């Protein structure tokens, strides 16, 4: 009975000791076996692994791709136009032994703080060497690649491999927004004023050309009209001269009738002339008296 009483606790202690010497490495992580703070074994393959109970301990690190958001960073590009850059990086712990040596017991938190310093320094250096237009254009993909390549060497000392760096957002500092908007508005006003000035200049040039064309057309039309009118008058006078030469009496009669039609109109038929005036020759009878007296 006494042996059974002593055997049972011994078996429990052996079982606990055996269980504490076995641990499982998940496929999503890597593990280090430490003995008094010194790395004695690296477990990268998933499955069962062993350690010495009480003397050795296991430290696990994530083997997946991790993301790290960098706090917004104010930079000054080469054109002195300050920008606030918000970026993030994706990285992976590839050398857990070096990672442990670099960060000690601080783990991921310490490593990410040091990674932030590396990325911030590279971001300032790369983006500070180009203009703000380059940062805001589609060419910034090449800038992100340069930041990643520049940070890879420094991050390798931490046992970390940087996979990618991305600029999420690039904005102007809050205190510069109003000044920037005013500058943009003034620039647009200047462009609009220039456009209006060029439009007015073009309009004046077109109006002047149109006025010149009108004057030229009217002058040409008047010249042609005067020429035609002069030719018509000459032809008319020629016809009159021919008619007068053919029958002077008929021509005289025709001219008198035209004169009567022009002068003796309604409301304008009172004339103070001598009855013997030649103007009334064709209004007299054959005996020389007025036509109305001859009928009486």
């Amino acid at each position: 009975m006494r042996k059974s009483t002593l055997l049972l606790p011994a078996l429990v202690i052996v079982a606990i000791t055996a269980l504490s010497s076995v641990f499982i490495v998940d496929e999503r992580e890597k593990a280090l076996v430490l003995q008094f703070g010194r790395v004695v074994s690296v477990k990268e393959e998933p499955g069962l692994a062993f350690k010495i109970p009480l003397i050795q301990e296991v430290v696990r690190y994530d083997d997946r791709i991790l993301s790290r958001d960098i706090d917004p960073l104010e930079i000054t590009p080469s054109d002195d136009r300050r920008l606030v850059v918000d970026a993030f990086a994706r990285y992976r712990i590839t050398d857990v032994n070096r990672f442990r040596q670099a960060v000690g017991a601080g783990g991921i938190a310490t490593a990410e703080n040091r990674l932030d310093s590396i990325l911030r320094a590279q971001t300032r250096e790369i983006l500070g060497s180009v203009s703000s237009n380059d940062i805001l254009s589609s060419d910034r993909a090449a800038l992100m690649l340069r930041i990643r390549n520049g940070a890879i060497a420094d991050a390798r000392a931490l046992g970390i491999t940087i996979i990618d760096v991305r600029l999420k957002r690039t904005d102007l500092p809050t205190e510069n927004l109003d000044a920037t908007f005013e500058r943009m508005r003034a620039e647009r006003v200047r462009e609009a004023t220039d456009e209006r000035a060029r439009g007015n200049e073009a309009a004046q040039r077109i109006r002047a050309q149109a006025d010149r064309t009108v004057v030229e057309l009217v002058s040409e039309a008047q010249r042609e009209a005067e020429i035609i009118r002069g030719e018509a008058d000459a032809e008319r006078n020629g016809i009159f001269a021919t008619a007068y030469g053919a029958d002077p009496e008929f021509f005289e009669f025709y001219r008198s009738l035209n004169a009567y039609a022009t002068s003796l109109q309604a409301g304008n038929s009172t004339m103070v002339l001598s009855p013997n005036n030649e103007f009334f020759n064709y209004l007299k009878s054959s005996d020389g008296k007025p036509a109305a007296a001859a009928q009486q």
Side-chain angles (χ1 to χ4, degrees):
M1 183 69 180
R2 185 175 180 182
K3 290 182 179 180
S4 300
T5 303
L6 296 175
L7 182 60
L8 182 60
L11 291 175
V12 171
I13 293 174
V14 170
I16 293 175
T17 302
L19 290 175
S20 63
S21 66
V22 178
F23 64 95
I24 298 175
V25 179
D26 191 274
E27 61 185 2
R28 295 168 297 180
E29 62 185 13
K30 296 178 181 179
L32 290 179
V33 179
L34 304 180
Q35 181 172 323
F36 305 117
R38 182 174 59 86
V39 178
V40 296
S41 179
V42 178
K43 305 296 182 182
E44 296 185 350
E45 296 298 327
L48 291 175
F50 300 92
K51 67 181 179 65
I52 301 175
L54 302 178
I55 298 177
Q56 296 179 344
E57 63 175 329
V58 177
V59 179
R60 304 173 188 271
Y61 296 107
D62 203 324
D63 192 35
R64 294 172 295 180
I65 295 176
L66 305 176
S67 295
R68 176 62 178 173
D69 282 325
I70 305 172
D71 293 335
L73 174 66
E74 185 172 309
I75 64 170
T76 304
S78 59
D79 55 0
D80 294 331
R81 183 183 179 186
R82 292 190 301 164
L83 295 174
V84 176
V85 176
D86 192 3
F88 76 95
R90 293 190 298 167
Y91 69 95
R92 186 176 184 180
I93 302 173
T94 54
D95 189 339
V96 288
N97 191 12
R98 180 178 295 181
F99 183 82
R100 177 71 184 188
Q101 294 174 357
V103 302
I108 295 292
T110 301
E112 288 186 340
N113 288 334
R114 294 178 63 178
L115 183 61
D116 285 353
S117 299
I118 294 171
L119 293 174
R120 290 167 70 90
Q122 286 296 322
T123 301
R124 288 184 185 276
E125 179 181 351
I126 300 301
L127 299 187
S129 64
V130 298
S131 67
S132 57
N133 291 333
D134 294 331
I135 299 174
L136 299 174
S137 69
S138 58
D139 294 337
R140 68 177 183 175
L143 298 176
M144 292 185 288
L145 184 61
R146 290 175 57 188
I147 294 173
R148 191 206 71 170
N149 293 340
I152 282 178
D154 294 333
R156 190 177 292 117
L158 300 175
I160 291 174
T161 297
I162 297 178
I163 298 173
D164 194 13
V165 175
R166 294 288 174 180
L167 301 180
K168 295 192 298 184
R169 189 179 61 182
T170 305
D171 293 328
L172 292 169
T174 304
E175 59 272 16
N176 289 0
L177 288 177
D178 292 340
T180 301
F181 289 152
E182 284 298 321
R183 185 167 61 251
M184 293 172 62
R185 189 183 68 82
E187 181 66 19
R188 297 301 178 269
V189 170
R190 185 189 63 79
E191 292 178 358
T193 302
D194 291 342
E195 289 293 332
R196 283 194 294 268
R198 284 193 291 269
N200 291 333
E201 180 182 358
Q204 291 178 359
R205 186 167 56 251
I206 293 172
R207 280 194 293 267
Q209 183 64 31
D211 292 341
R212 178 180 177 181
T213 302
V214 168
V215 171
E216 290 177 351
L217 291 176
V218 171
S219 299
E220 183 65 19
Q222 290 177 346
R223 186 182 67 82
E224 293 180 358
E226 291 296 333
I227 292 173
I228 294 173
R229 189 177 295 110
E231 293 176 350
D233 289 342
E235 185 175 356
R236 182 195 62 180
N237 292 335
I239 294 172
F240 283 162
T242 303
Y244 182 79
D247 192 346
E249 184 177 356
F250 176 76
F251 183 77
E252 185 68 24
F253 176 70
Y254 174 76
R255 293 293 299 273
S256 297
L257 291 180
N258 286 336
Y260 296 155
T262 301
S263 59
L264 301 178
Q265 296 180 358
N268 188 26
S269 59
T270 301
M271 301 180 67
V272 181
L273 294 172
S274 171
N276 296 326
N277 193 290
E278 294 181 356
F279 181 73
F280 296 107
N281 283 344
Y282 292 100
L283 295 179
K284 298 178 181 178
S285 63
S286 58
D287 57 359
K289 297 181 179 180
Q295 290 178 357
Q296 292 178 358

